[in-house]
């Protein structure tokens, strides 16, 4: 049941964690972490009652009902009281992830690890983390069925130098650690930005900022 994308997220979860999966939907990630003995316990939560009943059915089928608790919750609202040490928020837009994190002061705790899998607004999420006192401790890029997915592991209270434009798009850790698909990802991001620049040009708006970003990505591209 675990996909390549969710496996990429799982790699940032610490062994023995009290794990929480926000927006769990099918609950594949907590089921995988529990059945592989990686985490001590898990909370699988979702805002949608139908997603949560799907999660419950899968958890029951996997025989993990005694270790995985299901919770109907908007973001972390009803989850934070379980004192999770590692919290995944994956498969949502970056702006939704920012809203969920902003609403929960309980994550301003250096011992809590966030594992984030934004499907859009990735640079905005990195900016949000930096502006709010989080340091990015690990990153990866995964390609599944022709789509690129970014994963970000962050903890509160780690100060880092400000990110450059290229780092906000590609991820400083992906650059530093030489992600094996960094070059193709950078080329893909250049194509996205070129489309954006053409749109701005057509509507008579200034595209110079986008062109600057494109130039800053070229050294990392294929
Ligand atoms: C595309 S699914 C992702 C499922 C899983 N996390 C993954 O990455 O495969 C997104 C899930 O997030 C849930 N969701 C959206 N906004 C939410 C919120 N504010 N709080 C909790 N869950 C939310 C949706 O109901 C849906 O089940």
């Amino acid at each position: 049941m675990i996909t390549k994308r969710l496996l990429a997220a799982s790699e940032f979860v610490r062994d023995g964690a009290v794990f929480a999966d926000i927006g769990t939907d099918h609950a594949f990630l907590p089921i995988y972490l529990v059945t592989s003995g990686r985490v001590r316990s898990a909370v699988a939560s979702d805002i949608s009652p139908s997603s949560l009943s799907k999660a419950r059915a899968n958890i029951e089928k996997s025989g993990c009902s005694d270790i995985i608790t299901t919770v109907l919750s908007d973001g972390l609202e009803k989850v934070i009281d379980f004192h999770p040490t590692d919290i995944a928020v994956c498969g949502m837009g970056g702006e939704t992830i920012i809203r969920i994190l902003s609403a929960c002061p309980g994550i301003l705790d250096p011992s809590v690890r966030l594992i984030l899998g934004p499907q859009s607004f990735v640079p905005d999420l990195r900016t949000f983390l930096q502006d709010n006192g989080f340091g990015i401790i690990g990153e990866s890029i995964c390609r599944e069925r022709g789509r690129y997915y970014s994963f970000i592991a962050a903890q509160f209270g780690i100060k880092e130098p400000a990110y450059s434009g290229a780092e906000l798009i590609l991820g400083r850790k992906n650059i530093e650690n030489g992600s094996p698909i960094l070059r193709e990802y950078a080329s893909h991001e250049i194509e996205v930005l070129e489309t954006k620049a053409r749109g701005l040009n057509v509507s008579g708006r200034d595209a110079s900022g986008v062109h600057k970003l494109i130039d800053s990505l070229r050294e990392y591209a294929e």
Side-chain angles (χ1 to χ4, degrees):
M1 283 194 294
I2 192 84
T3 59
K4 186 177 169 189
R5 178 180 63 83
L6 289 173
L7 201 55
S10 78
E11 277 161 17
F12 291 111
V13 179
R14 290 171 291 189
D15 287 344
V18 176
F19 177 66
D21 190 26
I22 309 302
T24 195
D25 195 22
H26 33 64
F28 289 166
L29 185 53
I31 290 172
Y32 167 73
L33 287 167
V34 166
T35 53
S36 58
R38 291 269 321 278
V39 300
R40 199 161 6 133
S41 63
V43 178
S45 98
D46 207 287
I47 196 171
S48 148
S50 65
S51 289
L52 205 63
S53 35
K54 199 190 323 176
R56 276 196 195 110
N58 286 336
I59 291 165
E60 210 156 292
K61 243 189 275 167
S62 70
C64 298
S65 304
D66 52 338
I67 308 177
I68 306 177
T69 307
T70 55
V71 179
L72 190 67
S73 173
D74 181 358
L76 282 145
E77 194 186 348
K78 307 251 169 59
V79 176
I80 201 69
D81 290 344
F82 288 85
H83 305 292
T85 59
D86 293 49
I87 301 170
V89 194
C90 299
M92 290 179 216
E95 74 283 37
T96 304
I97 296 179
I98 290 171
R99 192 181 62 72
I100 287 173
L101 300 181
S102 302
C104 184
I107 58 166
L108 304 177
D109 174 344
S111 70
V112 171
R113 177 177 292 189
L114 303 175
I115 299 106
L116 310 172
Q119 301 208 330
S120 60
F121 295 95
V122 181
D124 302 68
L125 180 57
R126 289 196 177 99
T127 301
F128 168 84
L129 290 169
Q130 181 143 69
D131 288 351
N132 288 277
F134 292 88
I136 294 179
I137 55 163
E139 285 180 301
S140 65
I141 312 162
C142 151
R143 195 185 57 203
E144 189 177 75
R145 280 186 256 127
R147 264 196 80 173
Y148 291 96
Y149 298 96
S150 295
F151 292 95
I152 301 170
Q155 281 174 230
F156 183 70
I158 299 171
K159 273 210 183 316
E160 290 184 285
Y163 300 130
S164 67
E167 286 172 336
L168 285 174
I169 294 173
L170 302 177
R172 179 180 289 163
K173 286 282 185 282
N174 289 321
I175 295 171
E176 283 174 359
N177 300 339
S179 159
I181 61 170
L182 183 72
R183 293 202 167 276
E184 59 178 271
Y185 181 62
S187 301
H188 166 80
E189 289 300 300
I190 288 173
E191 277 172 30
V192 171
L193 288 169
E194 282 172 343
T195 305
K196 186 175 174 181
R198 277 196 294 276
L200 289 171
N201 284 335
V202 165
S203 59
R205 283 178 289 162
D206 178 21
S208 59
V210 179
H211 283 297
K212 255 193 214 152
L213 266 182
I214 292 171
D215 288 343
S216 74
L217 293 185
R218 287 208 193 282
E219 68 171 294
Y220 305 106
E222 284 171 331

